[in-house]
Amino acid sequence: MAALGLDRHAVVPRPLLVDRYGDAALIQVRSQQTLEEPTLAQRSPYPDDPEIERRDAFAFETIGEDRFRVAPVKSGLLRLFGGAVVSQSLAAAQQTVPPDKIAHSLHAYFLKPGLTDRPVDFAVTRESDGRSFANRLVRMTQNGVPIVNLMASFKLRERAPHFSVTMADVPPPEELPKLDDLIAAYGDRLPERHRPFWQRRQMFDWRPVEQFRFDERDTGPARRSMWFRLNGTENGGTAVQQRLLAYASDMHIFHTALAPLGMGWANDFLQSSSLDHAIWFHDDFRVDEWMLYVMDSPAASDAVALGRGHIFRRDGQIVATVSQQGLARMLDDRREGKL
């Protein structure tokens, strides 16, 4: 019989706090939210500062024609966050497009993990410039090594018929626990390799509608929903709002595909990585107002899982559709020091 913690198929007890449907869980969440409770900024041992990241991650230095460089942003992460590099690549493309053309879609491929302590370079190719559309290819590199290739398409706005699918009827975010609190309650059970990302100060406030899965080994439905909004205020225009939504859209979508496989993202034997990411923008929004991310997964095979998502404003209007494939590979040995 394997020792406790070494058997990757062993069931890890769930903390009471993560079951949002239990009355005791909600009472416990609320009872812990006292005036004396330290904020995440106070209890996080990692140097990540969302406000600094939001400023410095888009501080482009021009190093040539349609060539840009961004200095490293102080971080405790083991590798660059996928949502951040998609967001930066979109922002690099935006530097070369007239302001009256707005991104309507992007498609990115993650090629290599990026290092957090070195600058990143962006080379933008102007693939096309028409009267209504513009298309850009962005190659993000680090020390000459390819990190991300991204295609983005931009379009002039125009009046046209429209419709939107119906948003799911779920409890409001004010009635749901903060993901930060659920992460804190999970505590030292979170593997060390995941702590720099999940225990850092987060750019967005996430509120899970259903039970938030950590390392559960039972199978679950291939769908879930989460409310989210920026921690802070953002008065930037559409281009800024889109790049920040791109940042947030990389969160949780791929993990939705793990539940029907009986896997948890916090499993110490799971090797996971985003492989590609696509976004279609449908309507205006503000990232500092509550939005609902409704996610599902249609399939997983060959150690690759697909996640899909619709993002809605609180008034029920759909603003974006997202898809992402990710690697979900179970290893024979514990994975340490890397994701």
Side-chain angles (χ1 to χ4, degrees), residues 20 32 196 226 232 234 255 271 273 292:
R20 88 136 198 109
Q32 290 179 349
M226 300 186 77
E234 179 52 70
H255 291 167
Q271 178 185 3
S273 178
L292 183 68

Side-chain angles (χ1 to χ4, degrees), residues 265-282:
W265 60 266
N267 190 314
D268 244 355
F269 292 83
L270 176 65
Q271 178 185 3
S272 63
S273 178
S274 301
L275 300 176
D276 57 26
H277 195 81
I279 307 174
W280 295 264
F281 296 103
H282 307 305

Side-chain angles (χ1 to χ4, degrees), residues 5-300:
L6 296 181
D7 181 0
R8 61 177 170 149
H9 300 295
V11 175
V12 178
R14 301 177 187 170
L16 176 63
L17 189 60
V18 302
D19 183 0
R20 88 136 198 109
Y21 288 110
D23 292 339
L26 291 177
I27 293 172
Q28 184 176 350
V29 170
R30 292 165 180 157
S31 67
Q32 290 179 349
Q33 295 172 344
T34 65
L35 294 176
E36 292 77 22
E37 181 183 350
T39 65
L40 182 62
Q42 293 170 325
R43 66 182 180 237
S44 174
Y46 302 104
D48 303 72
D49 187 318
E51 292 188 8
I52 293 176
E53 181 182 12
R54 191 150 47 106
R55 180 193 68 202
D56 293 354
F58 307 106
F60 291 102
E61 173 193 357
T62 300
I63 58 176
E65 185 177 357
D66 294 343
R67 302 293 186 267
F68 310 99
R69 176 170 294 161
V70 173
V73 180
K74 192 173 184 181
S75 174
L77 297 182
L78 300 183
R79 66 188 186 199
L80 293 177
F81 169 49
V85 299
V86 169
S87 179
Q88 288 177 304
S89 297
L90 172 60
Q94 290 170 336
Q95 308 303 305
T96 71
V97 177
D100 58 349
K101 289 181 179 174
I102 306 301
H104 70 88
S105 68
L106 65 83
H107 300 257
Y109 283 92
F110 302 103
L111 306 176
K112 294 283 186 180
L115 303 174
T116 61
D117 59 351
R118 299 179 189 178
V120 289
D121 294 337
F122 301 86
V124 182
T125 302
R126 303 188 184 213
E127 295 288 296
S128 67
D129 282 289
R131 285 180 296 179
S132 297
F133 290 87
N135 194 282
R136 298 292 185 264
L137 169 62
V138 182
R139 293 182 173 91
M140 176 184 174
T141 61
Q142 194 173 59
N143 293 338
V145 177
I147 304 297
V148 170
N149 283 349
L150 177 142
M151 291 288 294
S153 184
F154 299 80
K155 181 184 179 297
L156 289 175
R157 294 182 182 272
E158 58 186 285
R159 291 180 176 272
H162 67 278
F163 80 98
S164 173
V165 296
T166 303
M167 186 177 77
D169 184 14
V170 300
E174 294 82 4
E175 295 181 4
L176 302 172
K178 291 185 176 184
L179 181 57
D180 285 347
D181 293 332
L182 302 181
I183 296 292
Y186 201 69
D188 292 341
R189 284 169 290 183
L190 191 65
E192 285 192 26
R193 65 192 177 109
H194 288 297
R195 293 176 191 175
F197 184 86
W198 292 99
Q199 294 181 352
R200 67 176 182 154
R201 286 173 282 177
Q202 297 290 335
M203 189 176 295
F204 286 85
D205 179 1
W206 292 90
R207 307 287 178 96
V209 174
E210 299 86 8
Q211 172 187 316
F212 185 75
R213 296 172 64 96
F214 287 86
D215 191 15
E216 285 78 359
R217 311 295 172 86
D218 58 321
T219 59
R223 61 182 182 276
R224 62 175 170 174
S225 302
M226 300 186 77
W227 290 99
F228 71 100
R229 69 176 176 186
L230 186 76
N231 281 315
T233 301
E234 179 52 70
N235 292 316
T238 300
V240 174
Q241 303 292 335
Q242 287 185 334
R243 70 181 64 155
L244 292 175
L245 185 70
Y247 183 107
S249 70
D250 188 46
M251 295 281 288
H252 309 294
I253 182 170
F254 161 61
H255 291 167
T256 304
L258 299 180
L261 299 174
M263 298 179 183
W265 60 266
N267 190 314
D268 244 355
F269 292 83
L270 176 65
Q271 178 185 3
S272 63
S273 178
S274 301
L275 300 176
D276 57 26
H277 195 81
I279 307 174
W280 295 264
F281 296 103
H282 307 305
D283 210 330
D284 291 329
F285 55 87
R286 288 183 60 100
V287 292
D288 55 7
E289 297 178 352
W290 286 114
M291 289 184 281
L292 183 68
Y293 202 172
V294 179
M295 296 163 278
D296 71 358
S297 175

Side-chain angles (χ1 to χ4, degrees), residues 222 254 257-258 260-261 296-302 304-308 324-326:
F254 161 61
L258 299 180
L261 299 174
D296 71 358
S297 175
S301 61
D302 195 31
V304 174
L306 176 63
R308 304 182 301 190
Q324 182 182 91
Q325 274 195 317

